[in-house]
Amino acid sequence: MKNKTTRLTGVALPGLLCLFMSLSALWASASSLQNQVTGRITDTNDHPIPGVSISLTNSNIGTQTDMDGEFSIYATPQDTLRISYIGFKSLLLPVGNQTSFRITLQQDITDLGEVTINAGYYNTTRMEQTGSIARVTAEEIERQPVTNPLAALQGRMAGVSIVQRSGVPGNAPSIQIRGQNSLRNSFGDSGNLPLYIIDGVPIDSAPLNSFSGLTDANTGGIDPLNTLNPANIESIEVLKDADATAIYGSRGANGVILINTKKGTGGKQKTRINTQVYTGAGTVPRKLDLIKTADYISLRQEAFANDGATPTESNAPDLLLWDTDRYTDWQETLFGGTAATTGVNLGVSGGSALTYYNLGVGYQHETSVFPGDFNYNKLTANLSLNHRSSDERFKLQLSTSFGSDRNQQFDGSGFVSSALTLAPNAPALYTDTGELNWENSSWSNPLATFCRESEARVQQLISNLSLSYAITPELEARLSAGYTLLTSEELVEQPIRFYDPALWANARSRSLHITAGRQSWIVEPQLNYRNTWGRFNLDALAGSTFQHRKNTALNIVGTGYANDQLLGNLAAAEQLSATDNTTQEYAYAAAFGRIGINYARKYYLNLTGRRDGSSRFGPSRRFASFGAVGGAWILSEEYWLQSLKTFLFFAKLRGSYGSAGSDQIGDYGYLDTYSATPGGGGLYPTQLTNPIYSWERNRKLELALELGFLNDKLRFNTSWYRNRSSNQLVGYNLPAITGFTSVQANLDATVENTGWEFEAATHLHSGRFNWQASLNVSIPQNRLVSFPGLEESSYATMYRVGEPLNIQRLYRFTGVNPETGLYTIEDVNEDGVYNFDDRMVAKDLTRRLFGGFRNQFTYGRLSLDFLWEFVVQDGQQFFTTTPPGRLGAILQEDYDRRWQNSGDEAGVQKPSQGIAALIANSRFRSSDGIYTNTSFFRLRTLGLSYELPAEMLGINSCVVFLQGQNLLTLTAYRGLDPQSPGTTLPALRMLTAGLKLNF
């Protein structure tokens, strides 16, 4: 029996094993069979989503949904479906035994498909944009205590260079978008300024001229954007390339800045109230190490000894009349004060599902670091009203902003310079009786400028009304109308006490009155058409523009008032003279259109065109056409890249080419103009006619690559651009014998701006911790490509072909002569005569690299935000205008490096009052020796905020914040501010604290 059992077992076990293996093979074979898997994908509103990518993990197999959101793919039960679509959260779904799916995708509001970007006449998203558009939101703007909203953009945008040229409240910052395009670069000339559009309404971007200390080459005048409230701005978009700007035609040649104010939100909601209050203080962040009294007296005595001269009361009051033991820190005395700043903003929003509004008011007050009662005040009000009909066909949007600022300043153009050059033992500012101390006219009291008081008042109204009606679901008619009104009134009073009392017998008090007005209206009817055929999508618009602008200016000087109390009352002046009384009108008309095409949300084509007409040209040259083509290819949506989706989430190639123009010149330049002569009623010519000059042309080319990694948590953008501006509109200089200094004309010169822009951003979230970081780097290059006949023209001393426009023609500095102790420069012609032909060095003062690095860390209710700005550039190093040894202070470092004995290898020439030393110093200041590296790395902003748990009090949010600006600057520059080398007041170091409440 045992043997039988053994035999049965020996036969059965192999048979059972074979049966098991056969069944396993059959099961494996069955499980590896691919089945057809179908499904339908919708959004949360049950609307089908076409173009969704469906792929198998660890495989190159993939497909997309059709117009009904349906898909079909072959898969095994072991496969996993990867569902991805830009703007929605990705999904991973195991197949298993399921052959049919119904999938609902959730929108990802942090993704690139959901952020709406204002492209001017239409909206787009980061995924769909074919042009170069930079964007900054309210979060980055509203907490900065700045007067001008452009100042809040410093270091935050690639290709956008912004310089705050002075710390005086109300001055205009300098801005360039991808370099200087025009040869016209004088102050107040809008030839290189971008187009400003506020809620769809363009405004004149040129700063207002001013009699006070707000106007010079360094401070830039009064900016029309000062009347805006930064706390009421929702976003600022900057349009840079041809695709983004060509739809604005001639107005977009230098880029476009779109400023959008805050709007209400639809839906039934209770009234919401938000308030913001802040206060703070500012100081000059850096002061110079100037020579002290003991070394100064020694230096002056050494200068007289070197010259073999004897000090007298006229040439050496500091040695013979002033106290040689006295010391005053003039920097601390004249601009060492603390500027206080206060801001209050209140916003109210609410409404119903069909009608909603947003109302905001703001107040800002800022004092000065100068001694005296100088201050800046601004009051703003904003209203936004939106309404739509119940059938969603009719929509109305009204936005109005009003701003009024009052700037009480003084003529401080040389005030900071005085603080840096006054002798440390100069007399006291006031006498014992409190009067200005003139010390027997042995010096010029810098406080005399305080007597020349000025007050500028600027008011601006900007309003826009937009009406739209959906004729069909695909066709919409829209009408946009805007109106702007800006008035500026300035009064400068110069009393007798402004002068040295010794001159009072011949001095005359006077008042200066300047009144300016800018008034414009614009009407833009449009038609918008959108439709979809399968995977083909069309978005088109056509419209026209009618604009009229009127500028007025009236400048009057009243001289000879019997009493200083009557200053400003023109009826009490002995003599009146009008220095300017002009009215200029500008008319502009255009037709524009756009066709936007995309196929399967992967291939995008954008065509824009505009036909412009401007009254600034003669009848035969009045019209011109501009246009651009832009395209984008989203590679990451191709099926052959689906296997990389977990790593390379987004990849897009885009490019654009097009042309824009410029008519940014004065009005009536093509006409003969005349002015009335005083008295007899005659006329005299003021301008030569030239009816044949025409538009500047700006041709722009750009190529870009945009990448997103790790579910778009890490982004990289790279752009290369080339802009060429030709047919330059300039005032061609004429010989004085003609009776005119220039005539408006075109020059056959071409200016080229090329450059690289790099952007990187990351957004990481883990539990209560959140980190956002962004980096932008710009590497611009500017050069004059061609200028036929340059050497024979009046511009031969200003430009060189192949060199940047912003160059200085300089002598070559060869150091201090060890024997004579004087500065020396290279004599190229070896003839002993130094003329302009000896200036062989071309120093480029253009920024070679600039950018910013921003980080924001959030943990729970605590947030830390900071921005570093960095710039690589050359500029004029700081040297006091006073040569060593003459009356006036110098840097302590220059005192230590001075030449003293024959054979010395010194960096600063010998102390001397002689003519030879003065000439040598003058040549040195026209050489490359005066220039140095003025690069800097600056902590532009630092903010710390905490959200208090105030929900139980009925407060939606309560945030306390601390904000710092210009806190730290790392630089080798030895002057006040490397951002604006020179002797203007630098941007202040500000520290503010505030509270923000939302009810």
Side-chain angles (χ1 to χ4, degrees):
M1 189 71 181
K2 180 178 179 181
N3 292 335
K4 185 176 181 180
T5 303
T6 303
R7 287 196 301 271
L8 288 172
T9 305
V11 175
L13 285 177
L16 290 173
L17 182 60
C18 289
L19 178 61
F20 176 76
M21 294 178 62
S22 299
L23 292 174
S24 298
L26 289 172
W27 179 84
S29 176
S31 63
S32 64
L33 291 176
Q34 289 188 334
N35 299 316
Q36 186 180 28
V37 177
T38 62
R40 185 172 186 265
I41 300 178
T42 62
D43 60 17
T44 54
N45 295 319
D46 200 34
H47 295 151
I49 308 177
V52 178
S53 296
I54 301 98
S55 61
L56 304 181
T57 59
N58 303 319
S59 172
N60 290 328
I61 299 174
T63 186
Q64 290 183 334
T65 57
D66 59 19
M67 292 308 300
D68 296 322
E70 297 178 349
F71 70 92
S72 175
I73 191 171
Y74 283 90
T76 67
Q78 286 75 38
D79 283 328
T80 299
L81 301 181
R82 179 189 294 112
I83 314 296
S84 63
Y85 190 65
I86 293 176
F88 293 82
K89 296 181 179 179
S90 299
L91 293 176
L92 292 175
L93 299 176
V95 175
N97 296 324
Q98 192 170 350
T99 59
S100 180
F101 289 86
R102 185 174 180 86
I103 303 167
T104 300
L105 293 185
Q106 302 290 329
Q107 287 186 338
D108 187 351
I109 61 173
T110 64
D111 210 347
L112 73 174
E114 281 300 300
V115 177
T116 300
I117 297 174
N118 183 7
Y121 291 101
Y122 62 99
N123 293 327
T124 184
T125 64
R126 175 175 162 251
M127 181 192 74
E128 297 178 335
Q129 71 181 64
T130 54
S132 181
I133 303 176
R135 186 173 189 262
V136 170
T137 61
E139 181 185 8
E140 301 177 65
I141 300 173
E142 60 186 5
R143 289 185 186 172
Q144 299 185 53
V146 295
T147 301
N148 191 297
L150 294 186
L153 306 184
Q154 287 180 277
R156 298 179 185 271
M157 291 182 171
V160 182
S161 175
I162 299 175
V163 177
Q164 186 177 345
R165 294 181 285 195
S166 170
V168 177
N171 77 93
S174 167
I175 179 170
Q176 283 188 352
I177 300 175
R178 290 184 170 177
Q180 178 182 340
N181 295 313
S182 175
L183 298 179
R184 306 187 308 282
N185 197 33
S186 60
F187 165 73
D189 188 354
S190 58
N192 287 287
L193 289 174
L195 171 66
Y196 296 156
I197 295 182
I198 303 171
D199 289 332
V201 181
I203 67 170
D204 191 341
S205 53
L208 296 167
N209 199 5
S210 168
F211 277 143
S212 69
L214 295 176
T215 298
D216 59 46
N218 295 313
T219 55
I222 302 174
D223 198 302
L225 294 183
N226 285 347
T227 58
L228 298 181
N229 183 1
N232 189 55
I233 294 176
E234 181 66 32
S235 66
I236 299 178
E237 276 93 356
V238 176
L239 315 184
K240 297 183 285 187
D241 73 328
D243 178 76
T245 61
I247 198 168
Y248 287 99
S250 62
R251 300 183 297 173
N254 301 312
V256 182
I257 296 179
L258 306 175
I259 300 177
N260 312 294
T261 59
K262 293 181 178 179
K263 308 293 189 296
T265 56
K268 293 182 179 180
Q269 57 176 312
K270 65 177 184 180
T271 301
R272 296 180 179 178
I273 301 175
N274 61 82
T275 62
Q276 182 189 50
V277 180
Y278 66 83
T279 185
T283 58
V284 173
R286 187 179 191 184
K287 296 184 175 68
L288 306 186
D289 183 17
L290 297 176
I291 192 171
K292 304 301 187 293
T293 299
D295 288 339
Y296 172 77
I297 297 300
S298 174
L299 182 72
R300 290 282 284 151
Q301 293 171 342
E302 184 179 331
F304 282 99
N306 288 338
D307 298 338
T310 301
T312 65
E313 291 185 358
S314 61
N315 64 16
D318 51 341
L319 298 180
L320 302 180
L321 298 178
W322 303 347
D323 185 354
T324 55
D325 293 325
R326 176 185 175 83
Y327 171 73
T328 301
D329 184 347
W330 290 113
Q331 296 178 89
E332 184 66 28
T333 301
L334 297 181
F335 60 81
T338 299
T341 182
T342 302
V344 179
N345 295 291
L346 173 65
V348 181
S349 62
S352 64
L354 300 179
T355 304
Y356 45 95
Y357 65 91
N358 184 79
L359 174 65
V361 294
Y363 171 75
Q364 181 181 355
H365 172 77
E366 186 174 348
T367 62
S368 172
V369 295
F370 300 127
D373 186 19
F374 303 105
N375 58 79
Y376 174 86
N377 295 276
K378 178 165 68 174
L379 181 65
T380 61
N382 308 274
L383 172 64
S384 172
L385 178 65
N386 292 69
H387 173 75
R388 63 176 183 266
S389 61
S390 58
D391 60 2
E392 299 284 343
R393 300 184 68 176
F394 174 75
K395 296 180 181 179
L396 176 149
Q397 179 176 302
L398 172 68
S399 62
T400 300
S401 70
F402 174 78
S404 175
D405 63 15
R406 178 175 174 232
N407 202 348
Q408 292 178 298
Q409 294 295 331
F410 71 102
D411 185 6
S413 55
F415 197 70
V416 176
S417 178
S418 296
L420 302 179
T421 56
L422 279 175
N425 70 324
L429 297 174
Y430 296 99
T431 65
D432 294 338
T433 60
E435 301 294 328
L436 291 182
N437 183 14
W438 291 101
E439 195 72 18
N440 297 321
S441 299
S442 62
W443 75 313
S444 296
N445 193 325
L447 286 191
T449 56
F450 281 1
C451 300
R452 192 176 187 262
E453 299 178 355
S454 70
E455 179 179 281
R457 295 175 180 264
V458 180
Q459 295 181 333
Q460 184 166 222
L461 172 69
I462 304 172
S463 59
N464 173 257
L465 175 64
S466 177
L467 304 173
S468 65
Y469 184 78
I471 302 173
T472 69
E474 297 80 20
L475 181 63
E476 179 188 66
R478 178 179 299 174
L479 177 66
S480 177
Y483 177 78
T484 66
L485 175 63
L486 182 147
T487 60
S488 172
E489 296 181 353
E490 185 173 1
L491 171 63
V492 180
E493 298 178 345
Q494 187 168 301
I496 289 292
R497 65 179 184 278
F498 169 79
Y499 303 96
D500 184 337
L503 305 176
W504 281 6
N506 298 318
R508 306 182 72 191
S509 58
R510 65 174 187 163
S511 62
L512 298 85
H513 306 251
I514 177 170
T515 302
R518 295 177 178 177
Q519 181 180 6
S520 71
W521 57 261
I522 184 171
V523 176
E524 293 186 310
Q526 301 173 46
L527 284 175
N528 294 273
Y529 180 79
R530 297 180 181 87
N531 209 342
T532 300
W533 300 273
R535 294 188 178 184
F536 181 86
N537 299 276
L538 174 66
D539 186 355
L541 70 85
S544 58
T545 300
F546 305 94
Q547 182 179 0
H548 182 272
R549 181 188 301 160
K550 181 179 180 180
N551 292 351
T552 59
L554 175 61
N555 299 349
I556 299 176
V557 178
T559 307
Y561 290 89
N563 190 305
D564 287 347
Q565 300 298 320
L566 299 175
L567 272 173
N569 185 351
L570 292 177
E574 295 179 3
Q575 180 181 348
L576 297 178
S577 61
T579 59
D580 186 16
N581 185 9
T582 58
T583 298
Q584 296 180 329
E585 296 192 41
Y586 167 64
Y588 171 86
F592 58 89
R594 169 187 177 261
I595 298 176
I597 302 169
N598 82 76
Y599 179 76
R601 298 191 60 143
K602 291 190 295 185
Y603 313 106
Y604 292 83
L605 181 66
N606 193 44
L607 304 172
T608 56
R610 193 174 184 105
R611 177 74 171 172
D612 280 0
S614 171
S615 64
R616 289 172 175 163
F617 300 101
S620 63
R621 304 295 178 93
R622 188 153 289 171
F623 292 90
S625 299
F626 310 98
V629 56
W633 176 23
I634 302 181
L635 291 80
S636 53
E637 292 301 298
E638 298 291 351
Y639 73 92
W640 40 270
L641 274 179
Q642 295 303 306
S643 59
L644 300 178
K645 204 70 173 182
T646 55
F647 173 68
L648 182 60
F649 178 78
F650 179 72
K652 181 173 75 171
L653 281 172
R654 62 174 177 84
S656 66
Y657 178 77
S659 68
S662 178
D663 68 344
Q664 296 185 24
I665 55 176
D667 296 310
Y668 317 128
Y670 64 93
L671 296 172
D672 280 322
T673 60
Y674 299 84
S675 279
T677 58
L683 297 175
Y684 67 94
T686 58
Q687 178 179 275
L688 289 177
T689 181
N690 179 15
I692 61 172
Y693 63 81
S694 60
W695 305 74
E696 277 188 5
R697 287 281 180 175
N698 192 322
R699 294 172 173 84
K700 302 181 180 182
L701 172 67
E702 178 173 22
L703 298 173
L705 173 64
E706 300 178 8
L707 300 173
F709 299 94
L710 305 176
N711 202 27
D712 210 37
K713 289 182 171 60
L714 183 62
R715 303 173 184 173
F716 291 98
N717 297 338
T718 302
S719 303
W720 174 85
Y721 65 88
R722 188 195 70 190
N723 299 343
R724 286 192 167 185
S725 182
S726 58
N727 207 32
Q728 293 282 326
L729 276 170
V730 296
Y732 190 80
N733 293 340
L734 296 176
I737 195 173
T738 64
F740 299 91
T741 57
S742 66
V743 61
Q744 188 70 59
N746 290 108
L747 288 183
D748 188 21
T750 301
V751 176
E752 179 183 83
N753 286 283
T754 60
W756 288 90
E757 295 174 2
F758 303 95
E759 297 173 291
T762 186
H763 183 190
L764 301 178
H765 180 78
S766 177
R768 302 183 66 193
F769 177 76
N770 188 57
W771 173 44
Q772 296 183 57
S774 62
L775 171 70
N776 70 85
V777 179
S778 303
I779 307 175
Q781 288 185 327
N782 170 272
R783 68 188 183 106
L784 181 62
V785 175
S786 65
F787 195 149
L790 173 62
E791 296 303 323
E792 291 76 31
S793 75
S794 56
Y795 295 94
T797 60
M798 299 175 61
Y799 304 116
R800 281 184 179 178
V801 174
E803 298 284 354
L805 298 183
N806 192 20
I807 61 170
Q808 293 289 325
R809 297 278 298 271
L810 304 166
Y811 299 118
R812 188 178 305 280
F813 179 59
T814 53
V816 176
N817 188 313
E819 302 302 323
T820 64
L822 299 178
Y823 293 129
T824 59
I825 60 174
E826 182 180 0
D827 184 4
V828 176
N829 298 317
E830 298 182 354
D831 56 2
V833 178
Y834 295 94
N835 51 42
F836 197 83
D837 292 336
D838 291 312
R839 300 191 179 196
M840 301 302 294
V841 179
K843 175 64 68 173
D844 180 16
L845 302 183
T846 307
R847 290 183 166 186
R848 299 191 297 273
L849 181 147
F850 63 90
F853 179 49
R854 179 182 181 238
N855 279 267
Q856 183 179 32
F857 300 94
T858 303
Y859 182 78
R861 296 175 179 268
L862 184 66
S863 178
L864 174 67
D865 185 296
F866 61 86
L867 171 71
W868 285 92
E869 180 189 12
F870 49 87
V871 174
V872 176
Q873 63 182 3
D874 288 336
Q876 190 175 106
Q877 62 175 304
F878 180 79
F879 274 86
T880 58
T881 55
T882 305
R886 299 182 74 89
L887 179 63
I890 65 171
L891 291 171
Q892 183 68 41
E893 178 185 352
D894 290 347
Y895 171 80
D896 297 334
R897 297 189 305 129
R898 74 191 187 282
W899 183 96
Q900 299 182 67
N901 300 297
S902 179
D904 283 352
E905 297 291 337
V908 177
Q909 75 173 8
K910 69 179 182 180
S912 172
Q913 290 214 126
I915 297 298
L918 188 63
I919 293 174
N921 186 77
S922 176
R923 290 173 180 166
F924 166 70
R925 297 186 66 83
S926 298
S927 75
D928 61 345
I930 197 68
Y931 289 88
T932 186
N933 189 330
T934 57
S935 304
F936 64 89
F937 193 58
R938 172 170 291 173
L939 183 58
R940 173 64 63 184
T941 62
L942 174 64
L944 181 66
S945 65
Y946 182 75
E947 184 175 356
L948 298 173
E951 294 84 356
M952 63 185 65
L953 301 177
I955 300 175
N956 294 333
S957 69
C958 177
V959 179
V960 293
F961 61 88
L962 186 67
Q963 181 78 27
Q965 286 188 296
N966 305 320
L967 297 181
L968 176 65
T969 301
L970 306 177
T971 181
Y973 177 66
R974 29 181 231 169
L976 291 175
D977 188 359
Q979 180 178 229
S980 300
T983 57
T984 57
L985 185 71
L988 302 184
R989 176 188 289 135
M990 301 290 297
L991 188 64
T992 58
L995 175 68
K996 185 175 182 180
L997 298 172
N998 289 318
F999 299 93

